[in-house]
Amino acid sequence: MSEPTDTQRMEKIVSLCKRRGFIFQSSEIYGGLNGAWDYGPLGVELKRNLKNYWWRVMVHERDDVVGMDGSILTHPAVLKASGHVEGFSDPMIDCRTCKAHLRLDQLVEKKGVTQCPICGGKDLTEARQFNLMFETHVGAAADESSIAYLRPETAQSIFVQFKNVLEVSRKKLPFGIAQIGKAFRNEINPRNFTFRSREFEQMELEYFCRAEEGMKWLHYWLEERLRFYENIGIPRERLHAREVPDEERAFYSKGTYDIEYDFPFGGQELEGVAYRTDYDLLQHQKASGKSLEYFDEETKQRFIPHVVEPSAGVDRTVLALICDAYKEDHAPDEKGKMETRVVLRLHPRMAPIKCGIFPLLKNNERLVAKTKEIVALLRPHMTVFYDESGAIGRRYRRQDEIGTPFAVTVDFETLGEKDVALRDTVTLRDRDSMKQERVSVNDLVNNLTSRIT
Ligand code: ATP
């Protein structure tokens, strides 16, 4: 079987996401809202597994990080001080032929002539700055005084609450504040499925430290974050840490790395790890007139801490997980004939459903009753799916396609009808190797939980 091209591969992934309930277009029945996506029953589980694991390793398993959950509606003064009102924009160009709005970096050049990538038109406007923030009004008056913004990143609420969090958590430098939440950017051209959306989620850590240790923590966090992706099943060889060159870096940053993943549509950013110096806290201190200094009890010095920020996209990581997991291989059908199998080889930690549980036959009361007992046994520990319809092979295939790593089948041996020694044992099938082993029902919880956490 020949490998599908990358465009075909992407089309298959998008279609699987819809067909099996991972991701739907937002407002689909009304024609869709560009740049917005809804996660279905399986997508929401995958997304939660990712966010929960991030929170576990970035907050719960560390002594030096605490969490917070800031508001989405943001006071304009916050985003004026941070520089977003003035400068959070992309250069935009219009094609006069097909009327498309384009980001400057999307234009293509053919034989030295700049063209529209959609229609090939050469009649283009000059570039102008387009601010990516969504503006809204708070309260009844829709005038200048009531403007607020939907936050374009979660980071600013962390900086603005730095002093409050510092006081209540009584942390000493270095320490971090973590947040997961929605962010909004009015992207000129949302594209590549969920990769560039207008509404998305971020997982951000602001790690505060002394100025002299900024570069050290930048490299520390880069390594930690690369390890994170490996621990959720994305292999290092498909990740690239790109050092952002001086001319592309924000003026206040002393060093930034983009962690890129090889998507079917090219190597693209999953996460930015940036050493932002003391820029943000200093800006907010100046604009608010409130001290955001840290007091060092030992040296009796007051100073503004520096910050290193690993900022990851939830939706981009979910997409990378799905793209990386999508495989087509071969498996025998009911009659032993080889057929193409679509399988999501998701890391068990990320898989939306951990275990499929099937009675061999649906019309045998004893088999069904025993299977339901096993469902009840596993359900407090993991997400499970009971399925009694169709041949066992079909049921395996349905779980393979959504990435379920394990499947348990209850048969007559489980009931002790053929061999009393096999009573209360089930077959446990592994999604990737398709191998089956006989395991005791009593061992199931331990056996599976050790592999999914
Ligand atoms: P890009 O260059 O791709 O626009 P960025 O450098 O502006 O991204 P950051 O401001 O560093 O992105 O945001 C941190 C993370 O938030 C990104 O690495 C990405 O995972 C996520 N992110 C940013 N913009 C979007 C978007 N429009 N849709 C989905 N995720 C996004």
Side-chain angles (χ1 to χ4, degrees):
M1 185 181 56
S2 63
E3 278 288 306
T5 64
D6 288 348
T7 318
Q8 280 172 338
R9 187 175 157 78
M10 203 54 216
E11 278 166 11
K12 287 180 176 183
I13 289 168
V14 174
S15 138
L16 174 81
C17 282
K18 177 171 176 184
R19 184 159 40 84
R20 298 310 309 271
F22 281 92
I23 302 170
F24 307 119
Q25 196 181 14
S26 170
S27 313
E28 191 190 76
I29 61 167
Y30 291 102
L33 179 64
N34 200 4
W37 300 92
D38 295 339
Y39 288 76
L42 294 176
V44 69
E45 296 295 337
L46 177 55
K47 208 178 184 195
R48 262 171 200 259
N49 290 342
L50 170 66
K51 290 191 284 183
N52 289 346
Y53 185 65
W54 187 92
W55 198 259
R56 179 177 129 194
V57 299
M58 301 293 276
V59 185
H60 291 172
E61 290 181 1
R62 300 187 65 103
D63 227 10
D64 57 350
V65 176
V66 292
M68 70 163 276
D69 187 21
S71 71
I72 285 168
L73 287 174
T74 308
H75 196 296
V78 171
L79 296 159
K80 273 185 197 135
S82 65
H84 284 86
V85 171
E86 208 29 57
F88 193 60
S89 51
D90 276 343
M92 180 168 84
I93 279 178
D94 299 336
C95 169
R96 290 200 184 92
T97 313
C98 74
K99 311 284 181 244
H101 302 300
L102 304 160
R103 248 166 57 153
L104 185 60
D105 62 1
Q106 287 180 277
L107 297 180
V108 291
E109 211 165 286
K110 282 202 184 131
K111 295 183 188 145
V113 184
T114 310
Q115 296 185 1
C116 167
I118 298 165
C119 72
K122 299 173 193 79
D123 190 4
L124 307 166
T125 63
E126 286 295 306
R128 62 192 185 284
Q129 289 301 320
F130 175 75
N131 194 299
L132 301 182
M133 285 202 297
F134 282 97
E135 194 179 289
T136 187
H137 292 275
V138 171
D143 57 23
E144 272 288 302
S145 70
S146 64
I147 290 177
Y149 296 97
L150 304 190
R151 63 182 177 191
E153 60 180 25
T154 66
Q156 292 308 320
S157 55
I158 299 183
F159 297 128
V160 171
Q161 294 295 355
F162 168 74
K163 206 59 188 252
N164 279 335
V165 177
L166 177 66
E167 269 161 26
V168 297
S169 63
R170 297 167 50 224
K171 291 282 174 206
K172 303 246 179 308
L173 287 183
F175 82 97
I177 305 176
Q179 179 168 206
I180 298 179
K182 290 265 183 176
F184 301 81
R185 297 181 188 178
N186 197 2
E187 298 281 357
I188 296 167
N189 232 318
R191 70 209 137 109
N192 289 331
F193 198 22
T194 56
F195 178 83
R196 188 170 298 287
S197 309
R198 290 184 168 134
E199 173 174 345
F200 54 95
E201 260 180 295
Q202 292 185 312
M203 306 182 281
E204 294 196 300
L205 170 71
E206 303 304 324
Y207 195 74
F208 301 98
C209 62
R210 286 163 216 280
E212 56 276 22
E213 295 196 325
M215 290 311 275
K216 178 183 103 181
W217 289 114
L218 173 67
H219 294 117
Y220 168 86
W221 280 110
L222 174 63
E223 269 314 304
E224 280 295 294
R225 298 302 306 146
L226 287 166
R227 214 151 54 86
F228 174 89
Y229 290 107
E230 287 183 282
N231 287 340
I232 58 171
I234 300 181
R236 190 80 158 230
E237 65 263 23
R238 283 194 284 284
L239 293 168
H240 309 283
R242 185 178 79 94
E243 189 169 3
V244 179
D246 291 356
E247 62 279 10
E248 279 180 43
R249 224 167 44 218
F251 69 90
Y252 50 79
S253 170
K254 279 200 179 158
T256 301
Y257 289 90
D258 282 348
I259 299 179
E260 297 183 341
Y261 170 73
D262 289 329
F263 284 97
F265 44 84
Q268 298 272 354
E269 177 180 331
L270 270 187
E271 167 159 358
V273 185
Y275 175 19
R276 296 173 74 123
T277 66
D278 55 359
Y279 173 77
D280 302 272
L281 287 182
L282 209 52
Q283 287 295 105
H284 288 302
Q285 173 166 284
K286 272 194 235 155
S288 67
K290 305 271 169 18
S291 165
L292 295 179
E293 285 177 331
Y294 174 84
F295 178 63
D296 188 325
E297 311 230 347
E298 276 164 34
T299 62
K300 307 289 176 218
Q301 283 176 320
R302 280 181 200 282
F303 58 93
I304 297 269
H306 278 221
V307 72
V308 172
E309 174 198 76
S311 169
V314 175
D315 310 79
R316 285 187 187 180
T317 308
V318 165
L319 186 58
L321 284 169
I322 296 175
C323 289
D324 210 79
Y326 184 92
K327 298 278 174 320
E328 289 176 12
D329 61 11
H330 291 122
D333 69 6
E334 268 62 67
K335 300 194 179 78
K337 199 169 134 260
M338 292 308 263
E339 60 174 6
T340 301
R341 170 177 88 137
V342 173
V343 53
L344 279 190
R345 290 183 189 246
L346 289 169
H347 191 294
R349 193 173 264 154
M350 292 294 114
I353 309 257
K354 309 301 183 192
C355 189
I357 310 180
F358 317 141
L360 185 65
L361 300 171
K362 72 169 172 189
N363 51 11
N364 181 300
E365 266 178 39
R366 293 182 60 221
L367 282 177
V368 169
K370 187 73 192 166
T371 311
K372 292 200 169 155
E373 262 177 42
I374 295 176
V375 168
L377 175 76
L378 294 186
R379 194 159 258 161
H381 306 276
M382 66 196 76
T383 47
V384 296
F385 189 80
Y386 173 81
D387 190 1
E388 57 176 28
S389 68
I392 284 286
R394 286 275 134 241
R395 290 182 244 170
Y396 284 150
R397 229 42 105 243
R398 285 200 284 267
Q399 294 305 311
D400 290 343
E401 212 185 29
I402 60 169
T404 306
F406 307 107
V408 159
T409 303
V410 174
D411 52 23
F412 292 105
E413 266 115 1
T414 318
L415 303 178
E417 287 187 3
K418 292 198 169 159
D419 177 352
V420 278
L422 293 178
R423 184 191 290 274
D424 282 328
T425 64
V426 288
T427 54
L428 177 63
R429 183 238 191 205
D430 179 271
R431 174 198 67 202
D432 298 339
S433 66
M434 293 190 263
K435 292 222 170 76
Q436 303 189 8
E437 54 175 332
R438 198 88 207 163
V439 301
S440 157
V441 172
N442 284 337
D443 295 338
L444 264 185
V445 170
N446 278 347
N447 184 327
L448 295 181
T449 46
S450 64
R451 291 148 87 173
I452 59 174
T453 42

